[in-house]
Amino acid sequence: MQNEKSNSAVAGAQSGNFIRNIVEQDVSNNKNDGQVHTRFPPEPNGYLHIGHAKSICLNFGLASDFSGLCNLRFDDTNPSKEDVEYVDSIQSNVKWLGFDWEDRLYYASDYFEKLYDYAVRLIKKGKAYVCSLSVDEIKKYRGSRTEPGQNSPYRDRSVEENLDLFERMRTGVFEDGDHVLRAKIDMASPNLNMRDPAIYRIKKDNHHRTGNKWCIYPMYDFTHCLSDSIEGITHSICTLEFEDHRPLYDWVLDELETPCHPQQIEFARLNISYTVLSKRKLLKLVEEGHVNGWDDPRMPTISGMRRRGFSASSIRNFCDRIGVGKREGTVDLALLEFSVREDLNNTSPRVMAVLKPVKVVIDNYPEGRSEELEGPYHPEDASMGFRKLPFSKTLYIEQDDFMEDPPKKFFRLSPGREVRLRYAYFITCTDVIKDESGNITEIHCTYDPATRGGDAPDGRKVKATMHWVSAEHAIKAEVRLYDRLFSELNPESSNDGDYTACLNPDSLKVLTDCYLEPSLAGAKPESRYQFERLGYFCVDSRDSKDDTPVFNRTVTLRDSWAKITKQKVLRQEQNVQKKKKKQDTISFK
RNA sequence: UGGGCGAUCGUCCAACGGCAGGACAACGGACUCUGACUCCGUCAAUCUAGGUUCGAAUCCUAGUCGCCCAACCA
């Protein structure tokens, strides 16, 4: 696996979690013969997101740390929501994240026949019955949180009748909703899940794998525990909302003679600030066109993050760092950003790109001449090699790198000031040319030929080093600047839960007039670079073409200058408000 | 108003009866041909009230607050 170094570095910093402690203890007590066997059990009804990555890392990670195994199992018991597109994307995502289920790819639908037999056994034991109440009636009979439920009038059907009915449910003589098979437990249980839960329903839907072979499908609570048991799972790890289901999980396995009885353990699902993590909510973003599909680089899906430029190891490191607990919390988006920067800083070649260009003319550089300079791909990793950087009379620099009337702390280019062009020359601004409306169209400079390569032989210093490209040699490109999808820290709890009301209008800015250094010609889809001083960028896998490259910004570099600017703006706003308050007070008097 | 679960720096996770620790964030500094990286430093927490104990974040009791549960979804 690549980046083992960074992973183990994180593993060293990370300490145990409560699930690991349980597993550790089980192994040392020789429970399950000291074996550890986990599984990642997605329903193929949507794309995987970073929250699933947490579960994947947990399940596969635990297995590998204890020399155990982890299965990939599709929990595909609801044909009306599931699709092969999702099955395919999930497999490719798990693989890409760096995990291997080897030959243990399973589907709950593989067990339909076995599950049916288990249901029959339950009926024979008098522990399940066919109920012919309607959905609404079942609801009424269930009672409420404070009141016990009532027994269904069909609860005491004979075993023979139940067997006959259940068999005919399977053959398709009934319509959807006519009957369900229910576990016979306790209609007065304080746990609603134990009030004779439905375990089989009629659904005349085409299943993505079994086609029209079945018209009855087992419910989650019946399927999951038995699937775990069939696969010999030792630790069945799931999220907190299934805590109330554990008694049912255990009940089914206790009532039936099964290969083993796995232990269900629940942990808190992942929340990230400025982000929505639920397949249902993400599906809505896709369906309503707020984003361009499941793999839109703004989506917290594995596919989206991959396209955005996240590396698999950065996601794995993030998952290690956030830990595993039972407390529902929200992880700071900054931690995710830190994790990508940390990884990409080590692995990305440096290049120069000018995103918002302004023309610079070097007046004392000979017309028509050009030369090749050289820069390392990584200042701290010589093994990445060097690339050529053509230099000529006309260049582009970043608009933000020039100010005609700079504030004190700004030390980039301004009239009369000398700065360094990275790996090239010192230049001094001599003149600024503007159009009628006052926009700067051209900056004129002189260069010092003695500073070739970027160092002054006389030892004089400059305060700033700037990136640049040669106008005639640069490659034109489209660059997509991504920012957080939501402007609220917790999109789900604001605006009465309508998270689409706080979509960030600036989550995507498309820049079509960008210039890249020529070494970027033919950059492969998904390859990642650091555009020096700007951020990490990745060749878009979908829209980039050789003649019209498209780059996605994964994340900006940390930027203390931007921070200073932001603070200044904030302070100004505060001052304005203070003044206003003062005035209000005065006028009130 | 029944049941289940949870509560530790701003955020996330540790500490399993014995010095509350790490990471991110924030702040300050050093370094710098990226205002990046790196390095150093600073700030900062046990929900409340009782109890057990030589000793409590940890155990007990009561309370407070938060999350989940009444799909023929998973």
Side-chain angles (χ1 to χ4, degrees):
Chain A
M1 191 184 292
Q2 79 180 82
N3 286 310
E4 258 177 61
K5 214 199 305 181
S6 59
N7 270 347
S8 61
V10 169
Q14 162 230 37
S15 48
N17 61 61
F18 78 101
I19 298 181
R20 180 173 297 266
N21 293 346
I22 292 170
V23 172
E24 211 158 40
Q25 210 158 76
D26 289 347
V27 169
S28 65
N29 291 341
N30 213 37
K31 190 177 169 184
N32 309 304
D33 298 324
Q35 297 301 301
V36 175
H37 201 149
T38 57
R39 98 271 93 114
F40 173 62
E43 184 191 12
N45 66 344
Y47 277 60
L48 259 27
H49 55 66
I50 180 86
H52 295 106
K54 177 181 181 181
S55 172
I56 293 166
C57 290
L58 218 204
N59 278 295
F60 279 93
L62 232 31
S64 108
D65 291 351
F66 290 92
S67 313
L69 300 170
C70 181
N71 301 351
L72 175 62
R73 178 172 76 234
F74 288 99
D75 219 340
D76 55 350
T77 57
N78 186 357
S80 43
K81 287 188 178 175
E82 296 152 8
D83 196 280
V84 280
E85 179 194 350
Y86 300 132
V87 171
D88 295 343
S89 72
I90 288 167
Q91 291 189 52
S92 120
N93 287 164
V94 175
K95 249 183 240 168
W96 178 77
L97 274 173
F99 297 102
D100 187 2
W101 55 86
E102 298 171 315
D103 58 348
R104 298 176 313 282
L105 170 64
Y106 301 123
Y107 295 80
S109 54
D110 288 342
Y111 311 139
F112 280 171
E113 199 64 55
K114 277 185 187 166
L115 260 16
Y116 181 86
D117 289 343
Y118 277 123
V120 168
R121 275 191 252 173
L122 221 44
I123 294 171
K124 286 182 176 161
K125 269 190 84 176
K127 297 289 187 172
Y129 62 98
V130 173
C131 180
S132 309
L133 253 22
S134 69
V135 185
D136 287 343
E137 287 166 331
I138 286 182
K139 199 173 177 176
K140 270 185 202 137
Y141 275 85
R142 186 150 36 221
S144 72
R145 277 181 192 149
T146 49
E147 292 159 280
Q150 282 180 290
N151 285 353
S152 160
Y154 303 100
R155 198 172 201 256
D156 295 317
R157 285 215 251 235
S158 69
V159 169
E160 291 68 34
E161 191 182 1
N162 282 323
L163 251 18
D164 171 62
L165 247 18
F166 188 49
E167 194 185 325
R168 282 157 59 204
M169 278 169 66
R170 177 180 183 167
T171 57
V173 299
F174 303 122
E175 294 310 312
D176 290 15
D178 284 354
H179 309 282
V180 285
L181 184 70
R182 292 228 252 167
K184 193 189 282 189
I185 309 178
D186 177 9
M187 288 307 291
S189 170
N191 181 344
L192 277 345
N193 294 120
M194 300 298 270
R195 318 244 261 230
D196 289 10
I199 55 176
Y200 261 94
R201 79 287 214 187
I202 301 170
K203 228 180 206 303
K204 295 190 166 170
D205 259 350
N206 211 270
H207 187 276
H208 67 102
R209 297 196 80 232
T210 58
N212 58 8
K213 183 175 177 204
W214 292 87
C215 62
I216 56 171
Y217 293 93
M219 303 284 291
Y220 166 84
D221 286 304
F222 188 67
T223 309
H224 204 91
C225 52
L226 288 168
S227 303
D228 281 346
S229 180
I230 290 166
E231 292 176 19
I233 299 304
T234 55
H235 303 268
S236 178
I237 299 164
C238 62
T239 42
L240 249 29
E241 69 269 26
F242 291 101
E243 238 161 357
D244 287 343
H245 293 246
R246 185 166 8 107
L248 182 49
Y249 185 103
D250 290 332
W251 182 90
V252 172
L253 294 180
D254 286 341
E255 290 297 337
L256 265 3
E257 271 175 46
T258 56
C260 65
H261 191 140
Q263 179 184 5
Q264 175 177 308
I265 308 169
E266 310 86 9
F267 71 97
R269 62 168 353 119
L270 172 65
N271 298 299
I272 301 180
S273 52
Y274 303 101
T275 309
V276 151
L277 288 183
S278 116
K279 276 194 272 189
R280 209 191 81 243
K281 288 173 182 158
L282 295 175
L283 175 65
K284 184 176 155 160
L285 294 177
V286 173
E287 282 180 337
E288 293 181 359
H290 299 295
V291 295
N292 304 312
W294 285 100
D295 69 345
D296 186 301
R298 291 167 294 184
M299 290 282 271
T301 52
I302 307 300
S303 297
M305 293 175 74
R306 175 180 179 175
R307 192 172 159 199
R308 170 94 165 241
F310 281 79
S311 59
S313 64
S314 72
I315 294 175
R316 276 186 261 122
N317 289 347
F318 172 75
C319 290
D320 283 344
R321 247 186 283 259
I322 55 175
V324 179
K326 294 196 72 156
R327 180 160 47 140
E328 290 253 35
T330 303
V331 172
D332 194 341
L333 183 60
L335 186 59
L336 219 209
E337 293 181 344
F338 169 82
S339 299
V340 225
R341 288 194 188 107
E342 179 195 42
D343 185 43
L344 265 28
N345 176 49
N346 293 324
T347 54
S348 301
R350 269 59 169 170
V351 291
M352 292 196 283
V354 175
L355 269 30
K356 293 174 188 164
V358 58
K359 192 177 278 185
V360 168
V361 179
I362 311 293
D363 288 325
N364 61 339
Y365 195 87
E367 194 83 48
R369 189 169 116 188
S370 75
E371 62 187 306
E372 274 192 331
L373 301 160
E374 210 175 48
Y377 271 118
H378 198 298
E380 280 140 27
D381 184 355
S383 72
M384 287 196 183
F386 289 78
R387 86 280 193 193
K388 304 266 190 229
L389 294 163
F391 186 90
S392 63
K393 187 179 178 72
T394 307
L395 315 168
Y396 290 115
I397 64 163
E398 212 68 60
Q399 285 168 21
D400 286 349
D401 283 342
F402 179 83
M403 279 185 102
E404 198 176 6
D405 187 19
K408 266 178 240 106
K409 284 181 177 167
F410 182 91
F411 44 80
R412 277 109 94 149
L413 194 64
S414 59
R417 188 179 292 171
E418 184 173 51
V419 299
R420 169 166 42 230
L421 294 180
R422 182 146 232 222
Y423 304 129
Y425 293 100
F426 284 15
I427 58 168
T428 305
C429 174
T430 53
D431 198 11
V432 183
I433 298 176
K434 300 177 190 171
D435 62 17
E436 313 83 56
S437 41
N439 300 314
I440 295 169
T441 54
E442 229 170 68
I443 297 166
H444 282 256
C445 294
T446 57
Y447 85 117
D448 177 358
T451 57
R452 191 184 140 102
D455 279 308
D458 63 3
R460 80 182 185 276
K461 301 280 186 208
V462 286
K463 286 274 273 190
T465 300
M466 298 175 5
H467 62 279
W468 55 276
V469 293
S470 163
E472 81 175 270
H473 302 93
I475 302 167
K476 207 153 177 201
E478 175 178 323
V479 175
R480 299 173 182 172
L481 265 24
Y482 294 104
D483 199 354
R484 53 185 62 154
L485 226 202
F486 296 95
S487 37
E488 297 277 352
L489 193 120
N490 186 347
E492 321 192 24
S493 72
S494 40
N495 306 302
D496 289 324
D498 178 18
Y499 53 97
T500 58
C502 57
L503 281 157
N504 175 12
D506 298 321
S507 62
L508 169 59
K509 282 182 190 158
V510 180
L511 268 27
T512 50
D513 194 29
C514 308
Y515 295 93
L516 316 177
E517 64 166 72
S519 75
L520 247 12
K524 297 275 173 304
E526 291 203 310
S527 53
R528 305 184 187 94
Y529 297 89
Q530 185 198 98
F531 289 180
E532 286 203 83
R533 305 207 303 137
L534 296 174
Y536 296 96
F537 293 76
C538 174
V539 179
D540 189 81
S541 53
R542 205 175 265 278
D543 300 332
S544 196
K545 303 277 176 315
D546 272 352
D547 50 340
T548 52
V550 176
F551 280 79
N552 298 323
R553 184 176 70 195
T554 310
V555 66
T556 61
L557 255 30
R558 275 187 62 196
D559 187 348
S560 48
W561 169 244
K563 214 180 272 178
I564 291 167
T565 322
K566 215 182 264 174
Q567 277 172 353
K568 205 177 165 188
V569 171
L570 257 165
R571 225 172 288 141
Q572 278 170 349
E573 277 171 8
Q574 281 170 350
N575 284 341
V576 169
Q577 278 184 351
K578 259 186 214 163
K579 263 184 202 165
K580 221 178 144 191
K581 236 183 189 172
K582 220 175 179 179
Q583 278 175 347
D584 288 352
T585 323
I586 289 164
S587 61
F588 181 75
K589 280 176 181 167

